[in-house]
Amino acid sequence: MILDMFSLAGKVAVVTGSDTGLGQGISKAFVEAGAKVLGVSRSPSTKTQELLGEENFKYITADLSSLDAVSDIIGTAVKEFGKLDILVNNAGIIKREDSIDFSVENWDLVMNVNCRTLFFLSQAAAKQFIRQGSGGKIISIASMLSYQGGIRVPSYTASKSAVKGITMTMSNEWAKYGINVNAIAPGYMATNNTQALREDADRSAAILERIPAGRWGTPDDLMGAAVFLASSASDYVNGYTLAVDGGWLGR
Ligand code: NAP
């Protein structure tokens, strides 16, 4: 039956950036759909664990600005839950500074978390999927700035444009193993990532005025797309970046 195709019963997922915002919402969606989740973030994901229960959601802390934790993350998921079926590359940061003065430090930090680690964690997950022999799902969180230039966020735009590109590259090479690599491009969502924008009255009003749906998004708005791309309902969707944006890109 069609709704069974959306079930994640028996699946094991890693979700990065699981302590707050969109990663917490995606973890909740996966557990509600039947999966077990290993969360990863710098801060302990204690609130997410309280919300979802220790039997469904475990977490480790790691700094994803370096590659040091990559193999440990995949290894812990397999140790805790026996295998890995889904990776969500959600952890991400943004640094705002005029391009004319933008620092090398803010360039490297954003690119490392949002792009470099995302790729090598995906590679480690894909190796695990290939070892297991039953395919897998990789979902990365892209952005409106995978399509647009943005203002005062050059490293963020570079990293999110790269996410859309390497989603296609990875998909092209790994679809033959039954691995679906896709991305979700959220619109303007009310989380810590956009706090500075929402506190700037002029920018906040300009953004809201441009969203056809007439409101900022919330973590719950991503739940359906995340479960779709993690489930067998999307088995023939490859290399695509799906906008969940209240209509922003259509304008
Ligand atoms: P958020 O609440 O700031 O969440 C960011 C998450 O990334 C946190 O869990 C954070 O963990 C984790 N993280 C950041 N740096 C890390 C590092 N070095 N090592 C490990 N974890 C790290 O913002 P969000 O909106 O939910 O963002 C989630 C994703 O959506 C990001 O990739 C963001 O770019 C993307 N996105 C957001 C929007 C939006 O409008 N909000 C729009 C498009 C795309 P700690 O809390 O422990 O630091």
Side-chain angles (χ1 to χ4, degrees):
M1 298 294 279
I2 180 61
L3 289 183
D4 295 336
M5 294 182 78
F6 289 83
S7 171
L8 300 182
K11 301 291 183 186
V12 175
V14 164
V15 178
T16 67
S18 52
D19 62 321
T20 178
L22 304 183
Q24 187 177 70
I26 291 167
S27 299
K28 178 170 163 254
F30 284 1
V31 167
E32 286 184 12
K36 306 287 185 199
V37 176
L38 177 75
V40 186
S41 46
R42 272 176 308 192
S43 322
S45 293
T46 45
K47 286 210 176 101
T48 308
Q49 189 172 66
E50 276 166 32
L51 188 71
L52 303 179
E54 207 177 324
E55 69 287 6
N56 297 317
F57 179 89
K58 299 189 189 303
Y59 63 84
I60 55 172
T61 58
D63 181 356
L64 298 175
S65 64
S66 86
L67 299 178
D68 294 349
V70 163
S71 62
D72 194 37
I73 291 168
I74 305 300
T76 305
V78 173
K79 187 168 152 243
E80 290 288 345
F81 296 121
K83 59 174 183 157
L84 180 68
D85 302 295
I86 303 158
L87 167 68
V88 179
N89 291 302
N90 164 76
I93 52 170
I94 190 163
K95 294 289 177 187
R96 299 176 195 280
E97 202 179 2
D98 290 344
S99 291
I100 200 75
D101 294 321
F102 207 81
S103 65
V104 172
E105 187 191 6
N106 279 344
W107 181 272
D108 288 345
L109 190 56
V110 171
M111 289 298 282
N112 283 348
V113 176
N114 295 10
C115 183
R116 187 170 181 259
T117 300
L118 177 147
F119 174 74
F120 286 102
L121 190 54
S122 300
Q123 183 193 64
K127 284 182 177 173
Q128 178 64 27
F129 295 154
I130 292 166
R131 271 196 295 275
Q132 292 172 181
S134 49
K137 303 277 183 177
I138 298 174
I139 305 164
S140 298
I141 303 303
S143 167
M144 294 295 93
L145 301 191
S146 303
Y147 301 91
Q148 301 176 321
I151 299 168
R152 304 183 71 244
V153 287
S155 58
Y156 188 79
T157 304
S159 70
K160 295 298 186 177
S161 297
V163 167
K164 180 169 173 289
I166 58 176
T167 293
M168 292 186 281
T169 308
M170 293 188 283
S171 173
N172 292 341
E173 295 188 40
W174 301 338
K176 63 177 179 247
Y177 300 112
I179 300 171
N180 297 83
V181 189
N182 291 291
I184 298 173
Y188 285 81
M189 320 295 280
T191 68
N192 296 338
N193 177 286
T194 52
Q195 190 174 348
L197 275 186
R198 285 177 290 115
E199 284 169 358
D200 178 332
D202 292 342
R203 290 279 286 128
S204 175
I207 287 166
L208 190 57
E209 189 277 327
R210 198 188 176 285
I211 302 173
R215 65 174 177 84
W216 288 68
T218 68
D220 283 2
D221 287 315
L222 282 198
M223 290 173 71
V227 169
F228 169 60
L229 291 177
S231 71
S232 65
S234 63
D235 279 352
Y236 203 60
V237 179
N238 298 84
Y240 192 65
T241 296
L242 173 63
V244 179
D245 65 350
W248 176 274
L249 280 185
R251 281 192 74 172

